[in-house]
Amino acid sequence: MSERPTQPVCLEHLAWPAIQEMQEAGRRMLLLPIGATEQHGPHLPINTDTIIADACARAASEATGVPVLPPLVYTVSMGHTAHWPGTFSLTHETFLRTIRELADWAVATGWTKLLLINAHFGNDATLRAAVERIRLDHLGRLQIGLRHTFSLTPTIWQYFISDADDLHANQAETDLLLHLAPEHVWMERVADDPDRTADTIFSYPVVQTSRNGVTGAPSRGTAERGRSLFAEMTHALTKIARQAQLEQPPLPAGPDDAWPHGAPL
């Protein structure tokens, strides 16, 4: 496991005997990249979050040998409403159930560790709830964890919110897409839009906080900064994945500690 592969270990490209051999060799951890399909302003593609999550997870897989699953592309984007075309969302309940059922299948087919790699801020609450449930659903059988690509380190998080606390299609995301998928970025259409959520008490959907689906200053985006930001992110995620491969629970679970399997959402 310490040797650096020449490419990411994409589980979707393997047949079951190769997967079985991998598990028998002790490689029983999975990375699951989680993105979204939603409007990203007039200049970024609707799969922006998926591109970022998948690229980060594949880079960590390449560095560690931990296999990576195909990304989840439909998640929770309800906050963008139907005001701008391009958004396709699951409900929170459907997304939560999806993550739990994928974890069920991971356990049933021999995996013991699952690290969720999320790049969509709107998924945070549902994913945290999913982790809470899964760690009890499969107590003693599956270690479950969650990391967000935009907050892998305090420095990365501060850069992501440097132009908007309620970030979306902002400078950081534009930087990354100019580096990862420049052919899908339309900088001639870019238009900044300020963060209008400062000092608000209530929560509002994007249609009530942004005029064009952007929150931040994407006009400042550059491929050069995207390259260095991506390197920071993948370095941090690789370090996390390496530690996760070795991590064991601080204390063992008792036979009566788990939440009853099959309990309702």
Side-chain angles (χ1 to χ4, degrees):
M1 288 189 297
S2 62
E3 294 182 2
R4 181 185 176 92
T6 58
Q7 59 186 6
V9 182
C10 298
L11 209 68
E12 63 195 290
H13 298 159
L14 303 178
W16 72 260
I19 295 173
Q20 187 176 69
E21 291 171 4
M22 183 186 304
Q23 292 177 332
E24 289 173 350
R27 296 164 64 185
R28 294 180 178 267
M29 176 174 156
L30 288 172
L31 302 176
L32 175 58
I34 302 172
T37 302
E38 61 183 28
Q39 72 81 23
H40 261 75
H43 69 294
L44 292 181
I46 63 175
N47 68 338
T48 288
D49 293 338
T50 304
I51 289 173
I52 295 170
D54 196 37
C56 286
R58 284 171 177 253
S61 175
E62 181 176 351
T64 64
V66 177
V68 58
L69 286 162
L72 291 184
V73 302
Y74 299 110
T75 58
V76 176
S77 301
M78 296 174 66
H80 290 275
T81 75
H83 183 75
W84 300 281
T87 297
F88 294 85
S89 178
L90 303 181
T91 63
H92 299 80
E93 295 83 0
T94 299
F95 184 45
L96 176 56
R97 173 63 73 180
T98 298
I99 298 295
R100 288 184 68 193
E101 290 187 359
L102 288 173
D104 290 346
W105 278 98
V107 172
T109 56
W111 304 98
T112 60
K113 298 184 179 189
L114 178 61
L115 183 60
L116 311 177
I117 310 299
N118 173 59
H120 172 43
F121 190 83
N123 288 334
D124 174 61
T126 309
L127 286 174
R128 284 188 289 113
V131 168
E132 291 262 341
R133 293 306 305 268
I134 291 166
R135 69 182 187 177
L136 294 179
D137 289 343
H138 299 292
L139 187 62
R141 295 179 294 171
L142 181 72
Q143 291 170 261
I144 179 76
L146 168 64
R147 289 294 185 274
H148 301 301
T149 58
F150 44 79
S151 60
L152 289 165
T153 70
T155 301
I156 290 170
W157 173 242
Q158 286 303 313
Y159 184 73
F160 264 87
I161 63 171
S162 62
D163 59 334
D165 285 346
D166 193 35
L167 66 100
H168 186 71
N170 66 334
Q171 180 179 353
E173 291 193 334
T174 302
D175 288 337
L176 289 170
L177 266 289
L178 284 170
H179 169 57
L180 295 171
E183 68 277 15
H184 298 310
V185 180
W186 292 269
M187 288 302 285
E188 68 275 12
R189 303 177 187 173
V190 73
D192 297 346
D193 203 49
D195 190 341
R196 298 179 175 87
T197 64
D199 300 322
T200 56
I201 303 299
F202 297 102
S203 177
Y204 302 96
V206 181
V207 69
Q208 290 186 297
T209 62
S210 175
R211 297 187 187 281
N212 64 352
V214 167
T215 304
S219 65
R220 303 203 299 248
T222 67
E224 181 179 3
R225 179 54 187 150
R227 187 180 304 107
S228 62
L229 177 59
F230 184 68
E232 291 180 59
M233 293 164 67
T234 56
H235 176 77
L237 184 56
T238 295
K239 183 177 179 180
I240 290 167
R242 285 191 174 127
Q243 179 180 339
Q245 287 178 284
L246 302 175
E247 183 175 297
Q248 295 301 320
L251 295 172
D256 300 322
D257 292 337
W259 187 265
H261 188 68
L265 288 172

